[in-house]
Structure formats: C-alpha cells, structure tokens
Amino acid sequence: MTFLLLVPLDDQWQCEYFEIEPDLFEFADGLAVPSLEAWTFERRYTEGWAAWLQRSFTLRPLDTCVRYQLHIS
C-alpha cells in the first residue's frame, strides 16, 4: 500500500540566519516564515550571511506496513 503525501510548501517554514565564515560562530534567532512566497532575505544581515530554511512534518504511525511517496510541486 502506498500513500501519496502532499506537503504544502508556502507556510510553516523556519528561518535561521548565520555567518558563512564566522569568527565566533554567531547565529541569529530562528524566525517563523509566514509565507515562503513572500519571504525575502533579511536586509539587516550584511554580506557574508546566509539563510537556512527548514520545513518539517509528521508521519502518523499506522497499523499496517505502508510506503510513503513524497511529491513536491
């Protein structure tokens, strides 16, 4: 049995900014991204910074053995 898993990619992202070559490994606080479509790189971080965007989801355990297919569009 295969389940098709559709994960909407426009919301529920988390963004963390970090220095690419840090002296003291400076990280900025993680921020929620309300809409990935409207997201832009934070202007207060100058050249030498990067953004890490992450989105997670939960697969519910089932009583039967299943295979999940992740389709991203």
Coordinates of all heavy atoms in Angstrom, one line a residue:
M1 N 0.8 -1.2 0.0 CA 0.0 0.0 0.0 C 0.9 1.2 0.0 O 1.8 1.3 0.8 CB -0.9 0.0 1.2 CG -1.9 1.1 1.3 SD -2.9 1.1 2.8 CE -3.8 -0.4 2.6
T2 N 0.6 2.2 -0.9 CA 1.4 3.4 -1.0 C 0.5 4.6 -0.7 O -0.6 4.7 -1.2 CB 2.0 3.6 -2.4 OG1 2.8 2.5 -2.7 CG2 2.8 4.9 -2.5
F3 N 0.9 5.5 0.1 CA 0.2 6.7 0.4 C 0.9 7.9 -0.3 O 2.2 8.0 -0.2 CB 0.1 7.0 1.9 CG -0.8 6.1 2.6 CD1 -0.4 4.9 3.2 CD2 -2.2 6.5 2.7 CE1 -1.3 4.1 3.8 CE2 -3.1 5.6 3.3 CZ -2.6 4.4 3.9
L4 N 0.2 8.8 -0.9 CA 0.8 10.0 -1.5 C 0.7 11.1 -0.5 O -0.4 11.4 0.0 CB 0.0 10.4 -2.8 CG 0.5 11.6 -3.5 CD1 1.9 11.4 -4.0 CD2 -0.4 11.9 -4.7
L5 N 1.8 11.7 -0.2 CA 1.9 12.7 0.9 C 2.1 14.0 0.2 O 3.1 14.2 -0.5 CB 3.0 12.4 1.8 CG 3.2 13.4 3.0 CD1 2.0 13.4 3.9 CD2 4.4 13.0 3.8
L6 N 1.1 14.9 0.3 CA 1.2 16.3 -0.3 C 1.6 17.2 0.9 O 0.8 17.4 1.8 CB 0.0 16.7 -1.0 CG -0.4 15.8 -2.2 CD1 -1.8 16.2 -2.7 CD2 0.6 15.9 -3.3
V7 N 2.7 17.9 0.8 CA 3.1 18.8 1.8 C 3.1 20.2 1.2 O 3.8 20.5 0.3 CB 4.5 18.5 2.3 CG1 5.0 19.5 3.3 CG2 4.6 17.1 2.9
P8 N 2.2 21.1 1.7 CA 2.2 22.5 1.1 C 3.5 23.2 1.5 O 3.9 23.1 2.7 CB 1.0 23.1 1.8 CG 0.7 22.3 3.0 CD 1.2 20.9 2.7
L9 N 4.1 23.8 0.6 CA 5.4 24.4 0.8 C 5.3 25.9 1.1 O 6.4 26.6 1.2 CB 6.4 24.1 -0.3 CG 6.7 22.7 -0.5 CD1 7.6 22.5 -1.7 CD2 7.3 22.1 0.7
D10 N 4.1 26.6 1.1 CA 4.1 28.0 1.2 C 4.2 28.5 2.7 O 4.4 29.7 2.9 CB 2.9 28.6 0.5 CG 1.9 27.7 0.1 OD1 2.2 26.6 -0.3 OD2 0.7 28.1 0.0
D11 N 3.9 27.7 3.7 CA 3.9 28.2 5.0 C 4.6 27.2 6.0 O 5.0 26.1 5.6 CB 2.5 28.5 5.5 CG 1.6 27.4 5.5 OD1 2.0 26.2 5.1 OD2 0.4 27.5 5.9
Q12 N 4.7 27.6 7.2 CA 5.2 26.8 8.3 C 6.7 26.5 8.2 O 7.2 25.4 8.6 CB 4.4 25.5 8.5 CG 3.0 25.7 8.9 CD 2.2 24.4 9.0 OE1 2.8 23.3 9.1 NE2 0.9 24.4 9.1
W13 N 7.4 27.4 7.6 CA 8.9 27.3 7.5 C 9.5 28.0 8.6 O 9.0 28.9 9.2 CB 9.3 27.9 6.2 CG 9.0 27.1 4.9 CD1 7.8 27.1 4.3 CD2 9.9 26.2 4.3 NE1 7.9 26.2 3.2 CE2 9.2 25.6 3.2 CE3 11.2 25.8 4.5 CZ2 9.7 24.7 2.3 CZ3 11.7 24.9 3.6 CH2 11.0 24.3 2.5
Q14 N 10.7 27.6 9.0 CA 11.5 28.2 10.0 C 12.8 28.7 9.3 O 13.4 28.0 8.5 CB 11.8 27.2 11.1 CG 12.4 27.8 12.4 CD 11.3 28.6 13.1 OE1 10.2 28.4 12.9 NE2 11.8 29.4 14.0
C15 N 13.2 29.9 9.6 CA 14.4 30.5 9.0 C 15.4 30.9 10.1 O 15.1 31.5 11.1 CB 14.0 31.8 8.2 SG 15.4 32.6 7.5
E16 N 16.7 30.5 9.9 CA 17.8 30.9 10.7 C 18.9 31.5 9.9 O 19.2 31.0 8.8 CB 18.3 29.7 11.5 CG 17.4 29.2 12.5 CD 18.0 28.1 13.4 OE1 19.2 28.1 13.6 OE2 17.2 27.3 13.9
Y17 N 19.4 32.6 10.3 CA 20.5 33.3 9.6 C 21.8 33.0 10.3 O 21.8 32.8 11.5 CB 20.3 34.8 9.6 CG 19.0 35.2 8.8 CD1 17.8 35.4 9.4 CD2 19.1 35.4 7.5 CE1 16.7 35.8 8.7 CE2 18.0 35.8 6.7 CZ 16.8 36.0 7.4 OH 15.7 36.4 6.6
F18 N 22.9 32.8 9.5 CA 24.2 32.5 10.1 C 25.3 33.1 9.3 O 25.1 33.3 8.1 CB 24.3 31.0 10.3 CG 24.3 30.2 9.0 CD1 25.5 29.9 8.3 CD2 23.1 29.8 8.5 CE1 25.4 29.2 7.1 CE2 23.0 29.1 7.3 CZ 24.2 28.8 6.6
E19 N 26.4 33.3 9.9 CA 27.6 33.9 9.2 C 28.2 32.7 8.4 O 28.3 31.6 8.9 CB 28.6 34.4 10.1 CG 28.2 35.8 10.6 CD 29.3 36.4 11.4 OE1 29.6 35.9 12.5 OE2 30.0 37.3 10.9
I20 N 28.6 33.0 7.1 CA 29.2 31.9 6.3 C 30.6 31.6 6.8 O 30.9 30.4 6.9 CB 29.2 32.4 4.8 CG1 27.8 32.6 4.3 CG2 30.0 31.4 4.0 CD1 27.7 33.2 3.0
E21 N 31.4 32.5 7.2 CA 32.7 32.3 7.7 C 32.9 33.0 9.1 O 33.5 34.1 9.1 CB 33.8 32.7 6.8 CG 33.8 31.9 5.5 CD 34.9 32.3 4.5 OE1 35.9 33.0 5.0 OE2 34.8 31.9 3.4
P22 N 32.3 32.5 10.1 CA 32.2 33.3 11.4 C 33.5 33.2 12.2 O 34.3 32.2 12.1 CB 31.1 32.5 12.2 CG 31.2 31.1 11.6 CD 31.6 31.2 10.2
D23 N 33.8 34.2 12.9 CA 34.9 34.2 13.9 C 34.5 33.5 15.1 O 35.2 32.7 15.7 CB 35.3 35.7 14.2 CG 35.9 36.4 13.0 OD1 36.5 35.7 12.1 OD2 35.9 37.6 13.0
L24 N 33.3 33.8 15.6 CA 32.8 33.2 16.8 C 31.5 32.4 16.7 O 30.8 32.2 17.6 CB 32.6 34.3 17.9 CG 33.8 35.2 18.2 CD1 33.4 36.3 19.1 CD2 34.8 34.3 18.9
F25 N 31.2 32.0 15.4 CA 30.0 31.2 15.1 C 28.8 31.9 15.6 O 28.0 31.4 16.4 CB 30.1 29.8 15.7 CG 31.2 29.0 15.0 CD1 32.4 28.8 15.6 CD2 30.9 28.4 13.8 CE1 33.4 28.0 15.0 CE2 31.9 27.7 13.1 CZ 33.1 27.5 13.7
E26 N 28.6 33.1 15.1 CA 27.4 33.9 15.5 C 26.2 33.4 14.7 O 26.2 33.3 13.5 CB 27.7 35.4 15.2 CG 26.6 36.3 15.7 CD 26.9 37.7 15.4 OE1 28.0 38.0 15.0 OE2 26.0 38.5 15.7
F27 N 25.1 33.2 15.5 CA 23.9 32.8 14.9 C 22.8 33.8 15.2 O 22.8 34.3 16.3 CB 23.4 31.4 15.3 CG 24.2 30.3 14.7 CD1 25.4 29.8 15.3 CD2 23.7 29.6 13.6 CE1 26.1 28.8 14.7 CE2 24.4 28.6 13.0 CZ 25.6 28.2 13.6
A28 N 21.9 34.0 14.4 CA 20.7 34.9 14.7 C 19.6 34.0 15.2 O 19.6 32.7 15.0 CB 20.3 35.6 13.5
D29 N 18.6 34.5 15.9 CA 17.5 33.8 16.4 C 16.7 33.2 15.2 O 16.6 33.9 14.2 CB 16.6 34.6 17.2 CG 17.3 35.1 18.5 OD1 18.2 34.3 19.0 OD2 17.0 36.1 19.0
G30 N 16.1 32.1 15.4 CA 15.2 31.5 14.4 C 13.9 32.3 14.3 O 13.4 32.8 15.3
L31 N 13.4 32.4 13.1 CA 12.2 33.2 12.8 C 11.2 32.3 12.0 O 11.6 31.6 11.1 CB 12.6 34.4 11.9 CG 13.6 35.3 12.5 CD1 14.0 36.3 11.4 CD2 13.1 36.1 13.7
A32 N 10.0 32.5 12.4 CA 8.9 31.8 11.6 C 8.7 32.5 10.3 O 8.8 33.7 10.2 CB 7.6 31.8 12.4
V33 N 8.5 31.8 9.2 CA 8.3 32.4 7.9 C 6.8 32.2 7.6 O 6.4 31.1 7.3 CB 9.2 31.7 6.8 CG1 8.9 32.2 5.5 CG2 10.6 31.8 7.2
P34 N 6.0 33.2 7.7 CA 4.6 33.1 7.4 C 4.2 32.7 6.0 O 3.3 31.9 5.8 CB 4.0 34.5 7.7 CG 5.1 35.4 7.9 CD 6.4 34.6 8.0
S35 N 5.0 33.1 5.0 CA 4.7 32.7 3.6 C 6.0 32.6 2.9 O 6.8 33.6 2.8 CB 3.8 33.7 3.0 OG 3.8 33.5 1.6
L36 N 6.4 31.5 2.4 CA 7.6 31.3 1.6 C 7.6 32.2 0.4 O 8.6 32.7 -0.1 CB 7.9 29.9 1.3 CG 9.3 29.5 0.8 CD1 10.3 29.9 1.8 CD2 9.4 28.1 0.5
E37 N 6.4 32.3 -0.2 CA 6.3 33.1 -1.5 C 6.7 34.6 -1.2 O 7.2 35.2 -2.1 CB 4.9 33.0 -2.0 CG 4.7 33.6 -3.3 CD 3.3 33.3 -3.9 OE1 2.8 32.2 -3.7 OE2 2.7 34.3 -4.4
A38 N 6.3 35.1 -0.1 CA 6.6 36.5 0.2 C 7.9 36.7 1.0 O 8.3 37.8 1.3 CB 5.5 37.1 1.1
W39 N 8.7 35.6 1.3 CA 9.9 35.7 2.1 C 11.0 36.3 1.3 O 11.2 36.1 0.1 CB 10.3 34.3 2.5 CG 11.6 34.3 3.3 CD1 11.7 34.6 4.6 CD2 12.9 34.1 2.8 NE1 13.1 34.5 5.0 CE2 13.8 34.2 3.9 CE3 13.4 33.7 1.6 CZ2 15.2 34.0 3.8 CZ3 14.8 33.5 1.4 CH2 15.7 33.7 2.5
T40 N 11.8 37.2 1.9 CA 13.0 37.8 1.3 C 14.1 37.8 2.4 O 13.8 37.7 3.6 CB 12.8 39.3 0.9 OG1 12.4 40.0 2.0 CG2 11.7 39.4 -0.2
F41 N 15.3 37.8 2.0 CA 16.4 37.7 2.9 C 16.4 39.0 3.7 O 16.2 40.1 3.2 CB 17.7 37.7 2.1 CG 18.9 37.3 2.9 CD1 19.2 35.9 3.0 CD2 19.7 38.2 3.4 CE1 20.3 35.6 3.8 CE2 20.8 37.9 4.2 CZ 21.1 36.5 4.4
E42 N 16.6 38.9 5.0 CA 16.5 40.0 6.0 C 17.7 41.0 5.6 O 18.8 40.6 5.6 CB 16.7 39.5 7.4 CG 16.7 40.5 8.5 CD 15.4 41.2 8.6 OE1 14.3 40.6 8.7 OE2 15.4 42.5 8.6
R43 N 17.3 42.2 5.4 CA 18.3 43.2 5.0 C 19.3 43.6 6.1 O 20.3 44.2 5.7 CB 17.5 44.5 4.5 CG 16.8 44.2 3.2 CD 15.9 45.5 2.9 NE 15.0 45.1 1.8 CZ 14.9 45.8 0.7 NH1 15.6 46.9 0.6 NH2 14.0 45.4 -0.2
R44 N 19.0 43.4 7.3 CA 19.9 43.8 8.4 C 21.2 42.9 8.4 O 22.1 43.3 9.0 CB 19.2 43.8 9.7 CG 18.8 42.4 10.2 CD 18.1 42.5 11.5 NE 17.4 41.2 11.8 CZ 17.1 40.8 13.0 NH1 17.4 41.5 14.0 NH2 16.5 39.7 13.1
Y45 N 21.1 41.8 7.7 CA 22.3 40.9 7.7 C 23.1 41.3 6.4 O 22.6 41.3 5.3 CB 22.0 39.5 7.6 CG 21.2 39.1 8.9 CD1 19.9 38.7 8.9 CD2 21.9 39.0 10.1 CE1 19.2 38.4 10.1 CE2 21.3 38.7 11.3 CZ 19.9 38.4 11.3 OH 19.3 38.1 12.4
T46 N 24.4 41.7 6.6 CA 25.2 42.2 5.5 C 25.8 41.0 4.8 O 25.5 39.8 5.0 CB 26.3 43.0 6.1 OG1 27.1 42.3 7.0 CG2 25.8 44.3 6.8
E47 N 26.6 41.3 3.8 CA 27.3 40.3 3.0 C 28.1 39.4 3.9 O 28.6 39.8 4.9 CB 28.3 41.0 2.1 CG 29.0 40.1 1.1 CD 29.9 40.8 0.1 OE1 29.5 41.9 -0.3 OE2 30.9 40.3 -0.2
G48 N 28.1 38.1 3.6 CA 28.8 37.1 4.5 C 27.8 36.3 5.4 O 28.2 35.5 6.1
W49 N 26.5 36.6 5.3 CA 25.5 35.9 6.0 C 24.7 35.0 5.0 O 24.6 35.4 3.8 CB 24.6 36.8 6.7 CG 25.1 37.4 8.0 CD1 26.1 38.4 8.1 CD2 24.8 37.0 9.3 NE1 26.4 38.6 9.4 CE2 25.6 37.8 10.2 CE3 24.0 36.0 9.9 CZ2 25.6 37.7 11.6 CZ3 24.0 35.9 11.2 CH2 24.8 36.7 12.1
A50 N 24.1 33.9 5.5 CA 23.3 33.1 4.7 C 22.0 32.7 5.5 O 22.0 32.9 6.7 CB 24.0 31.8 4.3
A51 N 21.0 32.2 4.8 CA 19.8 31.8 5.5 C 19.6 30.3 5.3 O 19.8 29.7 4.3 CB 18.6 32.5 4.9
W52 N 19.1 29.7 6.4 CA 18.8 28.2 6.4 C 17.3 28.1 6.6 O 16.8 28.5 7.6 CB 19.5 27.5 7.5 CG 19.2 26.1 7.6 CD1 18.2 25.5 8.4 CD2 19.9 25.0 7.0 NE1 18.2 24.2 8.2 CE2 19.2 23.8 7.4 CE3 20.9 24.9 6.1 CZ2 19.6 22.6 6.9 CZ3 21.3 23.7 5.6 CH2 20.7 22.5 6.1
L53 N 16.6 27.7 5.6 CA 15.1 27.5 5.7 C 14.8 26.0 5.9 O 15.3 25.1 5.2 CB 14.5 28.0 4.4 CG 14.6 29.5 4.2 CD1 14.4 29.8 2.7 CD2 13.5 30.2 5.0
Q54 N 13.9 25.7 6.8 CA 13.6 24.4 7.2 C 12.1 24.2 7.3 O 11.4 25.1 7.9 CB 14.3 24.0 8.5 CG 14.0 22.6 9.0 CD 14.9 22.3 10.2 OE1 16.1 22.6 10.2 NE2 14.2 21.8 11.2
R55 N 11.6 23.1 6.9 CA 10.1 22.8 7.0 C 10.0 21.3 7.4 O 10.6 20.4 6.8 CB 9.5 23.0 5.6 CG 8.0 22.5 5.5 CD 7.1 23.4 6.2 NE 5.7 23.2 5.8 CZ 4.9 22.3 6.2 NH1 5.3 21.4 7.0 NH2 3.6 22.3 5.8
S56 N 9.3 21.1 8.5 CA 9.1 19.7 8.9 C 7.7 19.3 9.0 O 6.8 20.1 8.9 CB 9.7 19.5 10.3 OG 9.1 20.3 11.3
F57 N 7.4 18.0 9.0 CA 6.1 17.5 9.0 C 6.1 16.1 9.8 O 7.2 15.5 9.9 CB 5.4 17.3 7.7 CG 6.3 16.6 6.7 CD1 6.1 15.2 6.5 CD2 7.2 17.2 5.9 CE1 6.9 14.5 5.7 CE2 8.0 16.5 5.0 CZ 7.8 15.1 4.9
T58 N 5.0 15.6 10.2 CA 4.9 14.4 10.9 C 4.1 13.3 10.1 O 3.1 13.6 9.6 CB 4.2 14.6 12.3 OG1 4.9 15.6 13.0 CG2 4.1 13.4 13.1
L59 N 4.7 12.1 10.1 CA 4.0 11.0 9.5 C 3.4 10.2 10.7 O 4.1 9.8 11.6 CB 5.0 10.1 8.7 CG 5.7 10.8 7.5 CD1 6.7 9.8 6.9 CD2 4.6 11.2 6.5
R60 N 2.1 10.0 10.6 CA 1.4 9.3 11.7 C 1.7 7.8 11.5 O 1.6 7.2 10.4 CB -0.1 9.5 11.6 CG -0.4 11.0 11.6 CD -0.6 11.5 13.0 NE -1.0 12.9 13.0 CZ -0.3 13.8 13.7 NH1 0.7 13.5 14.3 NH2 -0.7 15.0 13.6
P61 N 1.9 7.1 12.6 CA 2.1 5.6 12.5 C 0.8 4.9 12.2 O -0.3 5.4 12.7 CB 2.6 5.2 13.9 CG 2.2 6.4 14.8 CD 2.1 7.6 14.0
L62 N 0.8 3.9 11.4 CA -0.4 3.1 11.0 C -0.2 1.7 11.5 O 0.9 1.2 11.9 CB -0.6 3.2 9.5 CG -0.7 4.6 8.9 CD1 -0.7 4.5 7.4 CD2 -2.0 5.2 9.4
D63 N -1.3 1.0 11.5 CA -1.3 -0.4 11.9 C -0.8 -1.4 10.9 O -0.4 -2.5 11.2 CB -2.7 -0.9 12.3 CG -3.2 -0.2 13.6 OD1 -2.4 0.3 14.4 OD2 -4.4 0.0 13.8
T64 N -0.7 -0.9 9.6 CA -0.3 -1.8 8.5 C 1.1 -1.2 8.0 O 1.4 0.0 8.2 CB -1.3 -1.8 7.4 OG1 -1.5 -0.5 6.9 CG2 -2.6 -2.4 7.9
C65 N 1.8 -2.0 7.3 CA 3.0 -1.6 6.7 C 2.7 -0.8 5.4 O 2.0 -1.3 4.5 CB 3.8 -2.9 6.3 SG 5.4 -2.5 5.7
V66 N 3.2 0.4 5.3 CA 2.9 1.2 4.2 C 4.2 1.9 3.6 O 5.2 1.9 4.3 CB 1.9 2.4 4.5 CG1 0.5 1.8 4.9 CG2 2.4 3.3 5.6
R67 N 4.1 2.4 2.4 CA 5.2 3.1 1.8 C 4.7 4.5 1.5 O 3.5 4.7 1.0 CB 5.5 2.4 0.5 CG 6.7 2.7 -0.1 CD 7.0 1.7 -1.2 NE 6.0 1.7 -2.2 CZ 6.2 1.7 -3.5 NH1 7.4 1.7 -4.0 NH2 5.2 1.6 -4.3
Y68 N 5.5 5.5 1.8 CA 5.1 6.9 1.6 C 5.8 7.4 0.3 O 7.0 7.1 0.2 CB 5.4 7.8 2.8 CG 4.5 7.6 3.9 CD1 4.9 6.8 5.0 CD2 3.3 8.2 4.0 CE1 4.1 6.6 6.1 CE2 2.4 8.0 5.1 CZ 2.8 7.2 6.1 OH 2.0 7.0 7.2
Q69 N 5.1 8.2 -0.4 CA 5.7 8.8 -1.6 C 5.6 10.3 -1.4 O 4.4 10.8 -1.2 CB 5.0 8.4 -2.9 CG 5.6 9.1 -4.1 CD 4.9 8.7 -5.4 OE1 3.9 8.0 -5.3 NE2 5.4 9.1 -6.5
L70 N 6.7 11.0 -1.3 CA 6.6 12.5 -1.1 C 6.7 13.2 -2.5 O 7.6 13.0 -3.3 CB 7.8 12.9 -0.3 CG 8.0 14.4 0.0 CD1 6.8 14.9 0.8 CD2 9.3 14.7 0.8
H71 N 5.6 13.9 -2.8 CA 5.6 14.6 -4.0 C 5.6 16.1 -3.8 O 4.8 16.7 -3.1 CB 4.2 14.3 -4.8 CG 4.0 15.1 -6.0 ND1 4.6 14.7 -7.2 CD2 3.3 16.1 -6.3 CE1 4.3 15.5 -8.1 NE2 3.5 16.4 -7.6
I72 N 6.6 16.8 -4.3 CA 6.8 18.2 -4.1 C 6.6 18.9 -5.4 O 7.2 18.6 -6.4 CB 8.2 18.6 -3.5 CG1 8.4 17.9 -2.2 CG2 8.4 20.1 -3.4 CD1 9.8 18.0 -1.6
S73 N 5.6 19.9 -5.4 CA 5.4 20.6 -6.6 C 5.5 22.1 -6.4 O 5.4 22.6 -5.3 CB 4.1 20.3 -7.3 OG 3.0 20.6 -6.4

